[in-house]
Amino acid sequence: MAKGERNAHAARAERLQNATGALSTAAITAMDEKLPWFGKLSAQDRSWIGLVAQSGITAFVDWFRDPEAHSSMPTRMFGSAPREFTRVISLHQTVDLVRTTIEMIENTIGDLLPPADVPVVREAMQRYAREVAFAAATVYAQAAEMRGAWDARLEALVVDSVIRGEADESVRSRASALGWTGTAVSGAGGSSEVAVVVGRAQPAESGTANVADAVRHAAREAGADALCAMQGDRLVVVLGGTSKPVEIVQKLERWFGPGPIVVGPVVPDLMAAVTSARAAVAGLRAAPAWPGAPRPVQADELLPERSLSGDGHARRQLATEVYGPLTMGDGVLLDTVAAYLDSGGSIEATARVMFIHPNTVRYRLKRVGDLTGYAPGNPRDAFTLRVALALGRLLNPEPGAHVL
């Protein structure tokens, strides 16, 4: 650029500098008149937005004076705004703000600058506006990334509190901040029941970095609420708003790694989710003892394996809910099922041992199934009954004693 041209450009920049006050005032007036949402903001928020607009006009003047020396000015213009700026107005509203400011400058500079300056300034403004648009997109992208990282940490904290049995009102509040309602997304029935699901995580090399997002989305598609966290090689999902978690998990199965997926029992709400979590974690630990287990499998279906692996809750549950009902009355049901199991599952052999008719054995075994939920004629149920009898005898050695 020749010396004369440089002098002319400097003079033009100086005239533009002198007009910044009028341009800033006109920008705020234009926002108030053309943007309905602007007038609904608080005085503090409007002040911050006005400061950003004024900063942008000043930055444009500096950039106009020497574009090469101030190449980063469009990006820096948002530096005067607080971090909450991206929460006050949306990206769409920011675009409206920039557009309104640019239109105002184009319509106003004719009254503030000599006619010869107007085409040059307008052309520069168009170039500058493009850079500002990219800068705004960058600011919102960075804010979304930071918010996503914070939400992921908060979600992991909530799930960890559930697993460790530390769920309280603060955990409920944090879950709510993540969008957790605990009720059916579809609104059907208004269920608020919760179940915890535990399985192996996908291998790191599988390329499924956004498993948590995918699980939440798939759960919502299935009509349930979800919180999700990776804990080492374990994927933990807290499902809410469904009384049939197994059906939901069947739609989430692809996001788990190889191996069993254990669904804890349904509990009333998030505050009681530790019960479901404890059963699910114990079930995952004991699942290898049942190679033929379905996927997903309910934790209560793994009661015998859990009790053998040292789960005291499973032992007490078998002794209380399976052995206990069989001891009621004169104890003939307990004697009958014990004789049946010891006879290799033969009704005739059981009848001979007990000196009763085979039909009596059949009737009593049906009563056992009705009382406990386990049919002695089913091999899997027979195994559960055998373990329950052994545990019941260990915990209650005295005949007719109260079941612990």
Side-chain angles (χ1 to χ4, degrees):
M1 183 183 296
K3 183 177 180 179
E5 293 178 354
R6 286 198 301 270
N7 291 337
H9 185 77
R12 188 178 296 118
E14 188 64 27
R15 289 191 290 270
L16 185 59
Q17 176 73 51
N18 295 333
T20 54
L23 290 174
S24 299
T25 302
I28 299 299
T29 302
M31 292 177 201
D32 207 15
E33 292 177 351
K34 297 183 179 181
L35 302 177
W37 54 266
F38 184 77
K40 298 178 182 179
L41 299 177
S42 67
Q44 182 180 10
D45 292 336
R46 289 198 303 272
S47 174
W48 277 116
I49 293 175
L51 184 60
V52 171
Q54 183 177 357
S55 174
I57 293 172
T58 303
F60 168 64
V61 174
D62 293 337
W63 177 86
F64 179 80
R65 181 177 284 108
D66 190 349
E68 293 184 2
H70 299 88
S71 58
S72 64
M73 196 62 71
T75 302
R76 290 164 52 195
M77 67 169 286
F78 290 100
S80 58
R83 182 174 298 179
E84 291 78 10
F85 180 80
T86 56
R87 298 185 180 181
V88 173
I89 62 174
S90 65
L91 178 59
H92 177 73
Q93 290 172 329
T94 302
V95 172
D96 285 344
L97 186 152
V98 173
R99 182 186 297 114
T100 300
T101 303
I102 292 172
E103 291 177 353
M104 178 278 306
I105 293 176
E106 290 180 340
N107 295 333
T108 307
I109 56 175
D111 299 329
L112 301 174
L113 299 177
D117 292 351
V118 173
V120 179
V121 174
R122 281 180 175 169
E123 181 181 356
M125 174 56 71
Q126 294 298 326
R127 291 168 51 199
Y128 185 78
R130 181 180 60 187
E131 298 300 324
V132 169
F134 283 122
T138 300
V139 168
Y140 278 84
Q142 291 174 343
E145 185 176 353
M146 291 176 61
R147 189 159 52 247
W150 170 252
D151 286 351
R153 289 193 293 269
L154 182 60
E155 186 170 14
L157 178 63
V158 170
V159 173
D160 185 62
S161 297
V162 169
I163 292 292
R164 290 189 285 115
E166 298 177 357
D168 54 18
E169 286 300 329
S170 65
V171 172
R172 192 200 300 270
S173 176
R174 290 168 183 158
S176 298
L178 294 167
W180 168 272
T181 63
T183 57
V185 175
S186 62
S191 173
S192 60
E193 294 168 310
V194 174
V196 177
V197 184
V198 182
R200 297 302 174 193
Q202 290 278 11
E205 61 273 12
S206 63
T208 53
N210 297 320
V211 169
D213 291 338
V215 168
R216 283 192 298 271
H217 178 73
R220 288 188 173 276
E221 288 284 317
D225 212 345
L227 295 170
C228 183
M230 307 287 288
Q231 296 183 339
D233 64 344
R234 189 170 68 184
L235 175 61
V236 181
V237 180
V238 181
L239 290 177
T242 176
S243 59
K244 299 179 180 179
V246 174
E247 296 181 4
I248 303 296
V249 176
Q250 287 172 345
K251 300 176 182 179
L252 309 179
E253 182 180 346
R254 57 176 293 200
W255 301 110
F256 286 85
I261 303 173
V262 183
V263 182
V266 174
V267 294
D269 54 31
L270 191 63
M271 307 292 282
V274 62
T275 302
S276 182
R278 185 190 299 121
V281 171
L284 184 66
R285 182 174 60 249
W290 185 15
R295 176 183 157 104
V297 60
Q298 296 186 65
D300 283 354
E301 295 182 77
L302 290 162
L303 284 175
E305 288 79 12
R306 287 167 51 194
S307 65
L308 293 173
S309 69
D311 183 1
H313 296 281
R315 291 177 178 178
R316 286 188 290 273
Q317 188 172 345
L318 283 175
T320 302
E321 298 180 7
V322 180
Y323 180 82
L326 300 179
T327 63
M328 301 300 178
D330 54 9
V332 294
L333 295 182
L334 179 62
D335 294 338
T336 302
V337 72
Y340 177 78
L341 295 174
D342 291 340
S343 300
S346 170
I347 290 179
E348 288 73 15
T350 303
R352 288 194 298 269
V353 169
M354 300 191 70
F355 301 102
I356 57 177
H357 194 278
N359 285 344
T360 303
V361 175
R362 293 187 180 92
Y363 171 77
R364 291 179 180 177
L365 294 180
K366 183 177 182 304
R367 286 280 297 147
V368 169
D370 293 340
L371 282 173
T372 66
Y374 296 97
N378 179 285
R380 174 67 190 174
D381 289 357
F383 171 63
T384 302
L385 287 166
R386 185 177 289 278
V387 174
L389 264 58
L391 291 171
R393 290 161 180 160
L394 288 172
L395 296 175
N396 303 276
E398 297 295 330
H402 177 68
V403 179
L404 298 178

